[in-house]
Structures are given as C-alpha cells and as structure tokens.
C-alpha cells in the first residue's frame, strides 16, 4: 500500500491550494525526518511503510467502533444498550505503535504529531476501511478538557485533531459549543461504570450555542476511545441539548471494552 500521497509534506503551493496556513506548511517542511515508529529517514513523522503496516482496516461495529468478526451495523452490546451516538469512525486500534505516539502527542508536548495523526484519521475514513464511502462529517466538536487540565497541558489534543480534520475536508470545527465544566480525576484505572459516575454532569452545552445546536447533526472528535464512557456522556449532553444526532470520529479505539 502506498502511503506516500497521504504523508506528502505540505509545501507552500499545496498549502495555499488547500487553504492551510503558512505556519502549517512550515511545520511540515519538505526535508526528511526520522520516522517516529521505525526510526528510518523518510518524508514525514510517520513513514509510508509504517502507515501501511500498522493501519489494517478491521471490521467493526458501525455504531460503537468495537472490532467484530465482520462489519456490523450494531453489535450485541449496542443492541442491548443503545448508546446516545449514532456511529463511530475509528482509524486504528489503541496499540503498538500508535499508543506510544499518542502518549507523546498528548502528554509530552509533541503537539505537531497532530498533523500525522489526523492524516491517519482521514486515510482510514476516506481511503481504506469499511466506511470509506460514507458521507462527510458534520460540524466537528472536540471532546473538551477541563480548564485546569487545559492550563496544565497547554492544548487540547482533540481540538488539535479536529482543526486539522476540518481544514482538510472543509468542515467547520468548533470548540465553543461543548464545554467541560467539571474536572474529573484521571480515569485510567477506573471501570466503565466508575467512569460514567465520574463523568456525570461533566459536560454542558454553552447556553449561547443551544439555538445553533438545535436540530443539528454534529461529530465529536477525540483521540482515544477506551470504554466509551466519555463519548457516551458527551453525546448524551449534546442530545439532551437538542442535537439531532451525534457521530464520533476517534483516532484510536481500545480493542475491548473493560468492565
Ligand atoms: Zn517508519
Ligand atoms: Zn457496538
């Protein structure tokens, strides 16, 4: 599989053609760099060989994104307990090598990895996989961070992805609609039900945006979907505020729901 077109670094001319800023073009110059995965020299932070090798499309439940034996509209869990979101698009499973890159992206200030990781999401959605012919996403809403976490990290990784995805497909991205009003403790060691309890009332729709949201279909963007508890609560908040439908677009999905 040829990943070259996908990782072609931005140049001044194609930056203008796609409406990207020169800042983005300068962040992704033509000169070669080390691949973050195989450490060989190539074009871009993730080389075409590694992308082809580690982005196999797996059949998934179209609703929650879990891997299934064959593509399903809904898995048994979604049938038993329908989630508040309509569809989930995930690029990769959360595992080697993407888990390490996501940690760098999220916790080690490697915000520029957002460019390569957003390309993975675009490629999975529009070039390979089982939903490649699907419609364009609706307005992109990043899953928000609480203000204290945003202040500590300096950026919201979901917003970094959403902006790049939106620019690549001429879809608006907005960070002013869904807000996180409650700071929740780190979720890593919690079960799904504990996460859900933690997240209750964590999100709200900005009062000034309620009329905009009413009757509208939107797409939530996040970097990782683990148990789905965060996506569940965020989507529920949007639906309660009057959204017509919520879809999810995530970079990486853990292969199995934990308890
Ligand atoms: Zn590589
Ligand atoms: Zn499902």
């Amino acid at each position: 599989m040829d990943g070259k077109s996908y990782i072609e670094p931005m140049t001044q001319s194609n930056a203008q053609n796609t409406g990207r800023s020169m800042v983005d073009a300068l962040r992704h110059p033509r000169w070669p760099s080390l691949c973050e995965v195989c450490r060989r020299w190539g074009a871009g932070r993730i080389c075409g060989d590694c992308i082809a090798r580690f982005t196999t499309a797996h059949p998934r439940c179209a609703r929650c994104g879990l891997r299934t034996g064959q593509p399903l509209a809904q898995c048994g869990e979604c049938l038993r307990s329908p989630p508040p979101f309509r569809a989930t698009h995930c690029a990769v499973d959360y595992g080697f090598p993407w888990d390490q890159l996501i940690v760098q992206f999220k916790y080690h200030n490697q915000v520029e990895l957002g460019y390569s990781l957003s390309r993975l999401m675009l490629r999975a959605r529009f070039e390979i996989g089982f939903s490649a012919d699907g419609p364009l996403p609706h307005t992109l809403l990043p899953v928000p961070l609480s203000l204290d976490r945003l202040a500590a990290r300096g950026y919201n990784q979901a917003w970094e992805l959403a902006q790049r995805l939106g620019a690549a497909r001429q879809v608006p991205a907005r960070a002013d609609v869904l807000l996180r009003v409650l700071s929740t403790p780190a979720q890593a060691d919690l079960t799904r039900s504990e996460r859900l309890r933690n997240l209750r009332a964590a999100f709200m729709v900005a009062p000034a945006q309620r009329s905009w949201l009413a009757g509208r279909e939107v797409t939530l963007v996040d970097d990782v979907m683990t148990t789905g508890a965060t996506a569940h609560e965020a989507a529920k908040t949007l639906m309660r505020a009057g959204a017509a439908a919520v879809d999810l677009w995530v970079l990486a999905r853990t292969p199995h729901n934990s308890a």
Side-chain angles (χ1 to χ4, degrees), residues 109-129:
N109 221 24
Q110 298 275 311
V111 64
E112 70 279 5
L113 275 172
Y115 175 80
S116 299
L117 296 174
S118 68
R119 303 331 272 183
L120 285 183
M121 295 171 78
L122 289 163
R123 179 174 183 269
R125 181 145 184 186
F126 297 109
E127 295 175 34
I128 60 170

Side-chain angles (χ1 to χ4, degrees), residues 209-233:
Q209 304 304 332
R210 281 177 173 260
S211 56
W212 174 86
L213 182 66
R216 199 177 282 268
E217 300 185 359
V218 291
T219 298
L220 270 172
V221 175
D222 209 357
D223 56 335
V224 180
M225 186 169 172
T226 307
T227 66
T230 302
H232 190 282
E233 193 60 31

